[in-house]
Amino acid sequence: MDRAALFDVDGTLVDTNHLHVVTWWEAFRQAGHRVPMHAVHRAVGLGSTDLIAHLLGDDRDQDRDTELSDAHKALYGQYFDRLPALPEAGELLRRLHRDGWTVVLATSASGAELGALRRAIDADEAIAATASADDVTEGKPAPEPVEHALELAGVPASRAVFVGDTVWDMRAGSGAGVRCVGVRCGGIPPADLREAGAEAVYDDPAHLLASLADSPLA
């Protein structure tokens, strides 16, 4: 196997973005911050510290970042037993594996959250490795998560395609030198994904699976 299909998870393979929006919104509300849900939605895909900084600014009380992150984790954790995979997400990974692609996940999730996401996808036999938040010092949109996924796959950037649902994904993939594919099931407009580096945009994993022959993953 000398080519790699790299995948973001939240909003790309599992339908969790709006759960993150609501649970981050509630975490901010509990801490006394009024952050509009639409602003939270556009920040989903960033790591926790970067998301908080993006929404509250650098002049916030940074000593409370851990408190906010822990509140979000506790609220989001209530959904771990029923996270919904997006249509054909698992079958897409299995098909690519059968076609000779090395499938690697590149996600800001880790620990119990990552385990819950993998259970939702239900395609462990197709996943060669996972680059999680625990493995990098900088999260998306920095290219480090994608670069680490490439190292795990053992292929150069020229032999990889990265699939994601946010502008942060597209910027990270572009920064790492890989071809990028966007999916709009995370709620980000296709034009924004293309502007951030997506070569092609599909509705969801099922649409990408049905379009593989004409996609960058052909």
Side-chain angles (χ1 to χ4, degrees), residues 23-60:
T23 51
W24 271 117
W25 175 85
E26 177 62 14
F28 285 124
R29 188 197 68 80
Q30 290 178 4
H33 301 290
R34 298 182 64 180
V35 181
M37 286 196 185
H38 71 84
V40 178
H41 179 222
R42 298 295 296 217
V44 168
L46 294 171
S48 294
T49 300
D50 291 335
L51 181 146
I52 294 167
H54 182 76
L55 293 170
L56 298 185
D58 292 333
D59 60 346
R60 70 193 186 282

Side-chain angles (χ1 to χ4, degrees), residues 98-118:
R98 291 195 300 269
D99 287 351
W101 292 82
T102 299
V103 176
V104 177
L105 306 183
T107 175
S108 58
S110 61
E113 179 182 349
L114 178 56
L117 292 166
R118 291 188 62 145

Side-chain angles (χ1 to χ4, degrees), residues 107-139:
T107 175
S108 58
S110 61
E113 179 182 349
L114 178 56
L117 292 166
R118 291 188 62 145
R119 287 193 297 274
I121 300 166
D122 192 25
D124 276 355
E125 70 277 15
I127 300 169
T130 300
S132 76
D134 295 332
D135 303 317
V136 298
T137 56
E138 284 191 279

Side-chain angles (χ1 to χ4, degrees), residues 6 12-13 15 19 25 30-31 47 51 62 68 79-80 82 95 100 104 131 142-144 153-154 169 186 194 200 209:
L6 316 178
T12 300
L13 297 172
D15 192 10
L19 293 176
W25 175 85
Q30 290 178 4
L51 181 146
Q62 296 185 30
L68 281 166
Y79 298 98
F80 280 0
R82 55 192 186 279
R95 167 66 182 277
V104 177
E144 187 180 354
D169 292 324
R194 291 183 184 277
L209 177 61

Side-chain angles (χ1 to χ4, degrees), residues 57-66:
D58 292 333
D59 60 346
R60 70 193 186 282
D61 180 359
Q62 296 185 30
D63 290 338
R64 300 195 66 187
D65 283 5
T66 298

